[in-house]
């Protein structure tokens, strides 16, 4: 597109959908509800969602974030993050006499169930995902003997399986769609009988946000993605923007992280946000851009989203009493008390 004069041609392309997905919305509300219902502290194992601002906001309300289940004192409530946990974490909570609330996104739970089922049928499972990501650790933990991680197409060469006719691939829910399919194609080249999961593991929100960025990336001189560095789906949006033709793309947590130098020679800015990002942070970026002459905002709409997940069932019970009962049973094994198995 031709360069317009700086004064008239400044515009923002605002991606839709962007921001919160149903799983994040549910997890964040679950923490707030637990605090309302049971009072502070409510312990949360790992960041509830990968967003700095959300974590800080919930900490102010009385959530305590821990990396390990063992950090939670007995008789307390611990919540598992949207990314899911391995079965061993449920066992740790039981041993620690903790009442649990599981805020795992239902779309992650779906992948966990696929892993369990294929492992029971004795398949080799190739899990496409990023090493060390919380979701990958949780899914792998469902069947560690059957699952091996494939972190991108370049990993395919070293994959070995017991029986090439019994191989299936699964994936982390927040990957780049195109890159994942590239990995799958490479795997199929090596294992022609590779089977696919019953339905795509990459979640609807990840796909839709990437789709919107693809549509605007080609027109944008600069794409700003609001999101945190440890948010896999946000990092992917930056990559997708560049591949779609954006000259430049950056990830920021807050408007004040934008560098004015990025705007040099820019007439069209694309703006989106990752699936764990509250809209208020996007509004602040829009304001920042408006102050610099980017007042004209056009929506780039790639999909309609209306998915809502119901809250974790544990929020419908009195968990404080259950936690106290777990501690009171000191003599027991801790595995048969009320609510010892709240993981559905």
């Amino acid at each position: 597109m031709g360069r317009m004069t700086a004064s008239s041609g400044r515009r923002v392309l605002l991606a839709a959908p962007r921001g919160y997905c149903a799983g994040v919305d549910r997890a964040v509300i679950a923490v707030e509800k637990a605090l309302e219902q049971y009072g502070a502290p409510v312990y949360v194992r790992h960041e509830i969602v990968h967003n700095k601002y959300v974590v800080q906001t919930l900490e102010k309300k009385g959530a305590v974030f821990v990396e390990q289940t063992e950090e939670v004192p007995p008789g307390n409530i611990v919540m598992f993050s949207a990314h899911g946990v391995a079965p061993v974490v449920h066992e740790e909570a039981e041993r620690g006499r903790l009442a649990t609330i599981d805020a795992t996104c239902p779309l992650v739970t779906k992948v966990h169930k696929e892993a369990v089922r294929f492992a029971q049928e004795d398949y080799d499972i190739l899990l496409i995902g990023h090493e060390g990501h919380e979701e990958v650790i949780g899914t792998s933990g469902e069947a560690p003997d059957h699952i091996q991680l494939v972190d991108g197409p370049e990993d395919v060469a070293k994959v070995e399986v017991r029986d090439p006719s019994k191989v299936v691939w699964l994936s982390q829910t927040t990957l780049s769609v195109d890159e994942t399919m590239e990995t799958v194609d490479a795997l199929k080249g090596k294992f022609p009988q590779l089977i696919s999961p019953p339905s795509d593991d990459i979640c609807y929100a990840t796909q839709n946000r990437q789709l919107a960025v693809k549509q605007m990336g080609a027109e944008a001189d600069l794409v700003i993605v609001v999101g945190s560095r440890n948010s896999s789906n946000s990092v992917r949006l930056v990559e997708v923007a560049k591949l779609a033709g954006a000259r430049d793309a950056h990830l920021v947590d807050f408007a004040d992280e934008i560098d004015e130098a990025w705007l040099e020679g820019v007439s069209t800015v694309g703006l989106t946000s990752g699936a764990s990002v509250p809209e208020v942070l996007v509004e602040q970026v829009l304001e920042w851009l408006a102050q610099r002459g980017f007042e004209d905002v056009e929506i780039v709409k790639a999909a309609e989203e209306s998915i809502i997940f119901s809250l974790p069932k544990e929020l419908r019970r009195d968990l404080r009493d259950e936690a106290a009962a777990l501690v009171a049973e000191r003599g027991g094994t801790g595995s048969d008390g009320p609510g010892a198995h709240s993981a559905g």
Side-chain angles (χ1 to χ4, degrees):
M1 49 179 271
R3 291 267 163 266
M4 297 169 165
T5 53
S7 59
S8 67
R10 293 183 186 172
R11 60 173 185 157
V12 179
L13 300 177
L14 183 61
R18 63 180 174 278
Y20 271 17
C21 59
V24 163
D25 198 37
R26 168 183 188 261
V28 174
I29 292 172
V31 180
E32 292 172 340
K33 278 259 191 294
L35 286 165
E36 266 169 47
Q37 223 161 301
Y38 307 122
V42 166
Y43 290 86
V44 182
R45 187 188 173 283
H46 189 69
E47 293 189 354
I48 186 71
V49 297
H50 287 153
N51 185 267
K52 231 192 228 172
Y53 173 85
V54 171
V55 168
Q56 289 165 355
T57 308
L58 292 171
E59 276 175 336
K60 287 186 195 126
K61 294 182 180 178
V64 181
F65 292 91
V66 297
E67 279 309 307
Q68 302 302 330
T69 322
E70 293 79 16
E71 296 172 56
V72 184
N76 274 285
I77 293 170
V78 66
M79 186 177 286
F80 300 137
S81 79
H83 315 100
V85 295
V88 36
V89 176
H90 288 284
E91 290 157 24
E92 290 165 4
E94 217 167 280
R95 275 200 303 278
R97 295 183 161 70
L98 306 172
T100 59
I101 300 174
D102 191 349
T104 303
C105 170
L107 298 176
V108 172
T109 302
K110 170 180 96 74
V111 182
H112 280 233
K113 287 184 170 147
E114 289 169 354
V116 170
R117 182 165 74 83
F118 284 113
Q120 279 168 348
E121 294 172 16
D122 204 30
Y123 275 80
D124 274 322
I125 299 166
L126 308 179
L127 177 62
I128 301 171
H130 296 298
E131 191 160 4
H133 188 280
E134 214 53 30
E135 187 190 322
V136 162
I137 294 167
T139 302
S140 302
E142 291 287 355
D145 303 342
H146 287 82
I147 293 179
Q148 51 185 312
L149 185 65
V150 183
D151 195 341
E154 58 288 344
D155 250 11
V156 171
K158 62 173 193 277
V159 176
E160 287 179 24
V161 300
R162 295 165 304 158
D163 176 356
S165 70
K166 289 203 78 171
V167 192
V168 62
W169 68 270
L170 301 176
S171 87
Q172 186 181 327
T173 59
T174 52
L175 300 178
S176 141
V177 180
D178 293 343
E179 196 189 352
T180 303
M181 289 333 286
E182 200 183 313
T183 306
V184 170
D185 289 343
L187 285 169
K188 281 187 173 154
K190 187 169 181 179
F191 307 110
Q193 290 165 281
L194 178 73
I195 67 167
S196 302
S199 65
D200 199 343
D201 288 342
I202 296 177
C203 84
Y204 77 94
T206 301
Q207 299 191 37
N208 289 345
R209 277 150 197 66
Q210 288 176 15
L211 203 57
V213 165
K214 271 188 187 172
Q215 287 181 14
M216 73 185 188
E219 286 189 63
D221 304 308
L222 165 71
V223 170
I224 294 170
V225 178
V226 184
S228 293
R229 302 249 169 283
N230 63 340
S231 160
S232 175
N233 81 88
S234 303
V235 172
R236 300 290 86 72
L237 288 173
V238 175
E239 295 168 2
V240 169
K242 287 180 176 165
L243 286 169
R247 275 199 329 211
D248 199 8
H250 293 277
L251 184 64
V252 299
D253 258 297
F254 304 102
D256 62 14
E257 291 176 15
I258 302 171
D259 184 340
E260 299 246 6
W262 298 343
L263 294 178
E264 214 133 299
V266 164
S267 59
T268 300
V269 176
L271 176 59
T272 190
S273 56
S276 43
V277 178
E279 187 60 11
V280 57
L281 300 179
V282 174
E283 284 162 12
Q284 287 165 3
V285 171
L286 282 170
E287 218 163 285
W288 187 95
L289 287 167
Q291 285 162 8
R292 285 152 186 85
F294 290 83
E295 289 172 355
D296 179 17
V297 178
E298 283 172 42
I299 309 280
V300 175
K301 190 157 196 176
E304 262 323 325
E305 287 181 357
S306 55
I307 295 176
I308 296 170
F309 294 133
S310 58
L311 284 172
K313 60 186 183 311
E314 297 90 352
L315 289 168
R316 305 195 269 272
R317 302 206 302 260
D318 192 349
L319 283 191
R320 285 275 175 227
D321 284 358
E322 288 184 23
L326 290 170
V327 172
E329 293 167 25
R330 280 224 188 279
T333 60
S335 63
D336 48 9
H341 256 308
S342 52

